[in-house]
Every structure is written in C-alpha cells, then in structure tokens.
Amino acid sequence: MAVMAFLASTPKPIVCEAPAVALSELPGFDSETEAISEAELTILPKDTRIEKRRYIDRAGNWFLVSAVIGGVSKSSIHRPELCLPSQGFLMTAPQTLVIDGVKWRNITLDGGVNAPSFGFAYTFFNQAGFRTSSHTERIFKDVWDRSILNRIDRWVMITVNSSVSDSEQLKEFLSKLKEMMR
C-alpha cells in the first residue's frame, strides 16, 4: 500500500535591507528639515521611515523633498495620484522625465482659482537598484519578487513638490538630487 504525505509550509521571506537615503544639504540652496505630518505618522505602517527637507534657491523658489522608505508592508508606498486630488489638486500635463538616467513622473498641480500651480515629481527605487517612475511597473516587480522570489523589497519613493511648475527649473533641481538616491 502506497502512502503519500505532503508537508505544506511557507518559507520565511527574505526581507531586504532598505536603501540608504539621507536628505542633506545641497550646494547653492538653503535647506531645513521638515516635520512629518500627524497623518503620515498615523496612517503609514510603523516600520515606514520618512525624511523631509525643504530647499530654497537664491531666487526664493522652494523644493520640498520627501523620502518614504517602505517597510515590510506593501501599504507604506502608494502612487501620489491617489492622494493629490483629495488634497484639492487638479493634476495636469503628466509626463515622464529622464534626468541623468533616472525616470521621474512629472505632474503640474493646479490648486484652483486664484491659487498658484506647483510642480510635482516622483520616482521609486529599491535596494537592488531597480528604478522606475511607473507605479504599475513597481507593483509588478514587487509582486514578482514577493511571490516568485520570496523576497520583500524595500522601496523608496522620492517626491518633490516645487513652487515652480516650469519643468526646466525642476529638471535642474532633480539632477542635483541624484547623489542622495543610492
């Protein structure tokens, strides 16, 4: 008599170390650390790390940079198009910019009547050096790594909210950020 026994077990996933991201001083800019909002502290998983810094150039233009370093949960990072409309912004002129080999999703944010327009850009990368400005591409990569490779990637989302909606000024600033995104 033949007996078949199956042992079903799920191997513990490999949790990758998060990329080292540190928002620091940039030559030609005054800067200061910004506080993390109560909503970010409350809504995001506890192992999510957030850094924020505001940079101001000599002309008075500001660039608010946020680095969200995801934890084990997939809910640490989402595409900004989900929360920007709920903050009252109309998103226009979406485009992908490639700056020094890094893809950024660039959107103009319109605050409505009598409100200025803002520039906004974001990109994602993980500990393995995979970079994309596409949330869909990031999700497919994450699903593959979690379900096939049994690996939990540690994603970083860099967002830049800017007082300038002119993409040339924004491109120049994004180029300077490259050294902080390793």
Side-chain angles (χ1 to χ4, degrees), residues 17-22 49 125 156 180-182:
E17 188 172 327
V21 176
R49 200 175 98 226
F125 61 96
V156 176
M180 290 184 216
M181 302 183 321
R182 300 216 175 248

Side-chain angles (χ1 to χ4, degrees), residues 24-44:
S24 58
E25 298 289 327
L26 281 176
F29 292 86
D30 291 328
S31 71
E32 60 188 19
T33 302
E34 290 282 320
I36 299 162
S37 74
E38 186 66 32
E40 290 166 322
L41 290 171
T42 304
I43 294 171
L44 294 174

Side-chain angles (χ1 to χ4, degrees), residues 162-178:
S162 169
S163 63
V164 296
S165 57
D166 170 32
S167 65
E168 290 308 311
Q169 286 180 295
L170 187 56
K171 285 180 190 178
E172 186 178 317
F173 181 78
L174 295 176
S175 178
K176 295 175 192 236
L177 282 181
K178 187 174 183 182

Side-chain angles (χ1 to χ4, degrees), residues 5-113:
F6 293 95
L7 176 62
S9 68
T10 303
K12 188 173 180 174
I14 299 164
V15 178
C16 297
E17 188 172 327
V21 176
L23 301 180
S24 58
E25 298 289 327
L26 281 176
F29 292 86
D30 291 328
S31 71
E32 60 188 19
T33 302
E34 290 282 320
I36 299 162
S37 74
E38 186 66 32
E40 290 166 322
L41 290 171
T42 304
I43 294 171
L44 294 174
K46 298 301 175 208
D47 64 347
T48 303
R49 200 175 98 226
I50 303 170
E51 287 193 34
K52 290 182 175 184
R53 193 168 193 96
R54 182 179 301 271
Y55 298 89
I56 302 169
D57 68 15
R58 290 183 178 100
N61 299 312
W62 56 263
F63 302 86
L64 177 59
V65 180
S66 296
V68 178
I69 300 99
V72 173
S73 171
K74 293 183 289 186
S75 64
S76 292
I77 296 177
H78 60 280
R79 64 187 179 101
E81 289 89 344
L82 293 176
C83 61
L84 291 170
S86 67
Q87 295 173 30
F89 292 107
L90 174 64
M91 299 178 297
T92 62
Q95 61 180 318
T96 299
L97 304 174
V98 180
I99 293 133
D100 299 331
V102 176
K103 289 182 181 177
W104 291 85
R105 188 70 175 159
N106 183 31
I107 303 166
T108 299
L109 301 179
D110 183 356
V113 180

